[in-house]
């Protein structure tokens, strides 16, 4: 029986109470078959002496396991491993913690590793960044948002405020969003046309789940957003790439495709094409809507950074000219405030939005009602609108400065067009430059930039990346470009 004390070890400096350490270790020994049913344990006095702990600590551990049914006590005879437990063959002894480490690292069951999900996760981990086109959170109205959020936590009926809400999203936010989107994007929607989601990717996942079946065809522009394609492949759809030129998606190619085979959905970033930033020309927009109505395919319009346009007024979304109810329009506050604030919106016909609200319940009952209502307050009081006007001025200055840096410091190494809007510059590096090596070396200098691996052109060529300018100050942009210049 003295062997038992050698199998147990306690760490008095550990945050877990000692009695629970003892109880957990005894449970593990029983599960492993090391302590068989009917095994007699040391007395509380003996085990306490062996472990150099107070007897009451061992009594607590035994009482815990007696209550859970792992042990049983025979008055006057001692404490035993419960006889009703199934017999488990003893397993080879391994150093403490090693077995549990292995089971945490490698599953004991088989599962399929889905190749289409292999996409690097972007994280904010460097001091300098020419990112995918993110906003600068230093400009965000965080104080106003903080006050509005605190107000939502403290005021009003707590049962309603902190309870379950509408799966479509906070009613107040949907009402304010309808007003805002109608005024800024020429839409004619009501709150019933809006589903609040965590971001564009969630809206796309819901739409793909609801609309796509294995074998359906989804047309996407190429180069395009890998994150969108992941959802379509996950739904079992066949993804068909369509080329893009300086005026956006080539509609003639789409029409040829529709004449040959049916498609279920078209994914398009019409305002600032991802990744090249070009806008879909007006005549192509008209043809696209007519083709959708004629051939019956859904248009998923991802308008990820509509508010940031620097040349005259931005083109209005396809959704505003949709006369047949074929367009789903999706956007978010990710580019308005910061990626950390997960509020997006999916716009569509009322009946379909109601169906998506039912679907949303099985993956995410509702969003953050406090944050949604706080955002509604900022929309109602004009804080968001003022922030957008300020951000557009700042980002335009940064765009101009950054493009001038690329032209003067990287002359002959890069080719680009100054974007009319958005938060990044689609930049083609000289074919002799190894982008993966450049990105890896930049990272050693605390500068993040993409390596081009996720942006391949329809003709198979690459060496182009999005270089985000909005999230960096003028000084940070100059330092970043100087690092690239030195590395080249």
């Amino acid at each position: 029986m003295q062997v038992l004390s050698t199998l147990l070890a306690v760490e008095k400096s550990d945050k877990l109470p000692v009695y629970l350490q003892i109880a957990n270790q005894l449970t593990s020994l029983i599960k492993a078959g090391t302590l068989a049913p009917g095994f007699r344990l040391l007395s509380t006095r003996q085990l306490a002496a062996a472990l150099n702990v107070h007897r009451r600590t061992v009594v607590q551990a035994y009482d815990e396991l007696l209550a859970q049914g792992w042990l049983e006590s025979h008055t006057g005879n001692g404490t035993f491993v419960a006889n009703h437990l199934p017999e488990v063959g003893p397993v080879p002894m391994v150093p403490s913690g090693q077995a549990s480490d292995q089971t945490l690292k490698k599953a004991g069951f088989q599962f399929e590793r889905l190749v289409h999900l292999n996409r690097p996760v972007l994280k904010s981990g460097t001091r300098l960044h020419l990112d995918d086109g993110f906003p600068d959170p230093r400009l965000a109205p965080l104080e106003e948002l903080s006050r509005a959020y605190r107000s939502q936590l403290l005021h009003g009926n707590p049962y309603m405020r902190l309870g379950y809400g509408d799966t479509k999203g906070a009613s107040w936010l949907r009402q304010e969003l309808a007003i805002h989107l109608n005024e800024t994007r020429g839409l004619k929607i009501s709150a019933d046309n809006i589903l609040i989601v965590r971001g564009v990717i969630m809206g796309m996942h819901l739409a793909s789940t609801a609309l796509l079946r294995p074998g359906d065809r989804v047309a996407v522009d190429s180069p395009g957003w890998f994150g969108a394609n992941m959802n379509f492949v996950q739904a079992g759809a066949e993804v068909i790439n369509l080329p893009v030129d300086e005026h956006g998606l080539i509609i003639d190619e789409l029409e040829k495709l529709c004449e040959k085979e049916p498609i279920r959905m078209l994914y398009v970033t019409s305002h600032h094409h991802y990744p090249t930033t070009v806008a879909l020309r007006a005549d192509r927009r008209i043809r696209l809507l007519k083709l959708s109505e004629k051939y019956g395919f859904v248009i998923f319009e991802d308008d990820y950074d509509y508010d940031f346009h620097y040349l005259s007024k931005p083109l209005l979304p396809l959704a505003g000219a949709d006369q047949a109810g074929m367009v789903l329009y999706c956007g978010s506050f990710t580019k308005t405030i910061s990626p950390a604030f997960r509020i997006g919106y999916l716009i569509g016909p009322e009946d379909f939005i109601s169906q998506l609200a039912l679907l949303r319940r099985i993956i995410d009952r509702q969003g953050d009602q406090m944050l949604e209502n706080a955002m509604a307050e900022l929309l109602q009081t004009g804080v968001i609108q003022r922030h957008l006007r300020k951000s557009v001025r700042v980002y335009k200055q940064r765009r101009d400065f950054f493009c001038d840096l690329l032209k003067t410091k990287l002359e002959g190494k890069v080719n680009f067009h100054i974007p009319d809007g958005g938060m990044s510059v689609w930049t083609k590096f000289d074919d002799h430059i190894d982008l993966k090596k450049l990105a890896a070396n930049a990272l050693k200098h605390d500068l993040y930039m993409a390596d081009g691996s996720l942006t391949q052109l329809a003709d198979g060529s690459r060496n182009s990346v999005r270089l985000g300018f909005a999230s960096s100050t003028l000084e940070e942009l100059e330092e970043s470009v100087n690092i690239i210049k030195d590395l080249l």
Side-chain angles (χ1 to χ4, degrees), residues 94 97-109 111:
V94 296
Q98 184 173 312
S100 60
D101 287 348
Q102 288 302 314
T103 59
L104 291 174
K105 291 179 180 179
K106 186 174 177 59
F109 50 85
F111 62 94

Side-chain angles (χ1 to χ4, degrees), residues 79 128 192 202 224 239 312 373 376 381 407 409 453 459-460 475 481:
T79 304
L128 299 172
D192 291 330
M202 181 178 181
V239 176
S312 67
N373 282 325
T381 56
K407 183 178 179 181
K409 292 181 179 290
S453 59
D459 61 4
E475 293 75 18
V481 174

